[in-house]
């Protein structure tokens, strides 16, 4: 379910940068939340140059907005924020740290549907039941 949107001005990131950043964000989220990587989404919308501003002046920030299921602990949220910010700095050494903004926002699980099912709360028992059902449906669809 998590959706990480990396919004930049056109030309800020190369294809290689996007590939590496998508892998890094996926790995960080999976490690911190134990979510399966195949349910972690990263997108890279670009705006034309001159369509991003900071302090009223044209700029080229890297704005990363993660939408995740509500219920994660502050420690998990802070680890995701810090690790993604630090990874951006390491991946893009020419980008000033003040140009990188990372936010993680809660979305109630009941507001999201993936794989045809409303998402479970981020509690082990509910997740286990959701994944078991998903695996059953996937297996039965593979046989048709």
């Amino acid at each position: 379910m998590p959706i990480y949107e990396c919004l930049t001005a056109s030309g800020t990131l190369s294809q290689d940068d996007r590939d590496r950043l998508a892998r890094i964000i996926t790995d960080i989220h999976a490690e911190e939340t134990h979510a399966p990587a195949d349910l972690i989404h990263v997108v890279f919308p670009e705006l034309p140059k001159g369509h991003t501003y900071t302090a009223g002046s044209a700029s080229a920030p890297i704005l990363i907005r993660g939408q995740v299921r509500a219920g994660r602990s502050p420690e998990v949220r802070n680890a995701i924020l810090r690790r993604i910010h630090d990874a951006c700095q390491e991946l893009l050494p020419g980008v000033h740290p003040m140009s990188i903004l990372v936010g993680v926002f809660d979305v109630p699980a009941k507001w999201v549907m993936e794989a045809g099912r409303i998402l479970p709360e981020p509690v082990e028992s509910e997740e286990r039941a959701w994944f078991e059902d998903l695996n059953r449906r996937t297996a039965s669809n593979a046989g048709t």
Side-chain angles (χ1 to χ4, degrees):
M1 174 275 162
I3 303 168
Y4 286 90
E5 185 177 29
C6 305
L7 186 63
T8 61
S10 182
T12 301
L13 300 175
S14 68
Q15 183 63 52
D16 187 51
D17 293 336
R18 286 189 295 276
D19 291 345
R20 290 188 296 160
L21 191 53
R23 173 58 26 211
I24 288 167
I25 290 171
T26 299
D27 290 347
I28 290 169
H29 188 91
E31 290 166 10
E32 296 297 335
T33 67
H34 309 290
D38 58 347
L39 296 178
I40 301 169
H41 309 280
V42 182
V43 297
F44 292 90
E46 290 186 320
L47 295 170
K49 289 186 180 192
H51 284 228
T52 57
Y53 288 76
T54 302
S57 298
S59 64
I62 297 171
L63 309 171
I64 300 175
R65 175 178 48 208
Q67 297 178 37
V68 302
R69 280 183 299 157
R72 303 291 181 198
S73 72
E75 294 78 19
V76 168
R77 175 182 307 284
N78 290 342
I80 290 170
L81 293 168
R82 170 58 52 204
R83 290 182 66 195
I84 290 174
H85 188 275
D86 291 351
C88 283
Q89 280 192 274
E90 186 176 317
L91 177 65
L92 307 164
V95 175
H96 192 281
M98 290 292 291
S99 295
I100 303 168
L101 175 78
V102 182
V104 175
F105 303 92
D106 285 341
V107 175
K110 65 184 174 184
W111 290 2
V112 180
M113 178 177 279
E114 187 164 25
R117 299 272 307 189
I118 300 296
L119 292 184
E121 293 298 322
V123 193
E124 185 180 343
S125 60
E126 289 191 34
E127 288 180 332
R128 187 178 329 105
W130 191 86
F131 284 118
E132 286 172 2
D133 181 59
L134 180 63
N135 289 336
R136 274 193 303 274
R137 289 185 305 118
T138 302
S140 69
N141 286 342
T144 57

